[in-house]
Amino acid sequence: MVDKLVNSEANARRIQMVENCFGTSGQPLFLPGRVLVGEGVLTKMCRKRPKARQFFLFNDILVYGNIVIGKKKYNKQHLIPLEEVQLQALEDSGQYRNGWLIRTATKSFVVYAATQTEKQEWMAHINKCIEDLLRKSGKKPVETHAAVWVPDSEATICMHCKKTQFTMLIRRHHCRNCGAVVCGPCSSKKFILPGQSNKPLRVCLDCYDNLTSLKRDGNKSQIGNNNKPANSPESSGEDDSGDEEETVKESDTHDEPKFYGDDKNDK
């Protein structure tokens, strides 16, 4: 599928259109050998609430951004190397259906498709791109992934001390190692989490003690690696700071995702 699109004019035109939609706020996306495999709207679980995001799957990266004008303009572009990505399907829970977890070295988050079929298509295409990329590069999958943030709405009190009630004045913080929502005093420590940043990041007191102990023992393999099961909607959240101002100016009527190379979408 990908090989026949590499040098096609249709592929080059599609990538140019994606670049144009992000404008000067986005990075150049056209590279020799890069193919736009598919695109569509997914609901991303953000820190405060679920939000629609436009996703673009290339054969080497996953790109997403805020929708400003549907199919015409996007901003806040995020690029994720596929060699860092690991997917985990989620079971349906209440109103949250057709979801899966996208784990990466620097950020992990949950997305939801409109239907079960779309979920299966997205996951199959992403996994195939990852498999082909790792096979061609000879690299091994990344084993350490960033924690998934618990949404603000899931915690009314500190998840560490179980006492502090969050209010307009007492704000929520997130532990960058486990993703828990904690109060200021319970997240007063910082620790360097390889893969996320070369600067110390906010962690809860439990994680700080565990990480310090691991470092003292010379075992850093678990630092920044959160493998707890994700059965509830969660998000890394930080990329959505300040996006309350976003405006979708066109109807948010759902369109099915397009995967190029498939006969029905590649005419």
Side-chain angles (χ1 to χ4, degrees), residues 6-33:
V6 170
N7 297 315
S8 72
E9 292 184 6
N11 176 64
R13 184 171 62 252
R14 290 173 187 137
I15 295 179
Q16 185 61 58
M17 289 179 63
V18 176
E19 286 190 2
N20 293 341
C21 287
F22 278 103
T24 57
S25 67
Q27 298 183 35
L29 295 173
F30 184 81
L31 288 176

Side-chain angles (χ1 to χ4, degrees), residues 89-207:
L90 299 179
E91 295 182 1
D92 293 345
S93 177
Q95 63 176 314
Y96 299 107
R97 309 178 67 83
N98 311 316
W100 68 96
L101 175 59
I102 298 177
R103 293 186 183 274
T104 80
T106 57
K107 124 180 2 189
S108 299
F109 53 91
V110 171
V111 293
Y112 293 93
T115 67
Q116 180 68 19
T117 299
E118 291 183 15
K119 170 184 175 178
Q120 293 172 349
E121 288 182 335
W122 271 106
M123 293 190 69
H125 280 86
I126 294 174
N127 279 326
K128 184 63 167 62
C129 288
I130 295 172
E131 178 185 334
D132 290 345
L133 184 63
L134 292 176
R135 176 173 50 80
K136 292 177 181 179
S137 67
K139 296 181 179 180
K140 295 182 178 180
V142 174
E143 296 181 354
T144 300
H145 300 95
V148 187
W149 285 19
V150 176
D152 288 359
S153 60
E154 297 294 308
T156 57
I157 63 172
C158 174
M159 298 175 69
H160 179 265
C161 67
K162 313 292 185 183
K163 297 178 181 178
T164 302
Q165 185 91 24
F166 296 120
T167 66
M168 293 291 291
L169 298 178
I170 302 177
R171 58 172 298 193
R172 295 169 172 83
H173 299 277
H174 279 83
C175 171
R176 269 58 171 182
N177 188 64
C178 72
V181 181
V182 290
C183 63
C186 289
S187 59
S188 59
K189 301 290 187 180
K190 292 186 177 182
F191 201 91
I192 294 179
L193 303 175
Q196 293 194 47
S197 175
N198 57 5
K199 297 180 180 180
L201 300 176
R202 181 188 294 271
V203 295
C204 67
L205 298 181
D206 280 345
C207 283

Side-chain angles (χ1 to χ4, degrees), residues 42-57:
L42 294 171
T43 298
K44 179 178 180 290
M45 219 18 144
C46 300
R47 177 174 180 175
K48 294 186 177 180
R49 67 176 186 271
K51 298 174 184 177
R53 295 287 182 260
Q54 181 72 28
F55 279 77
F56 299 93
L57 173 63

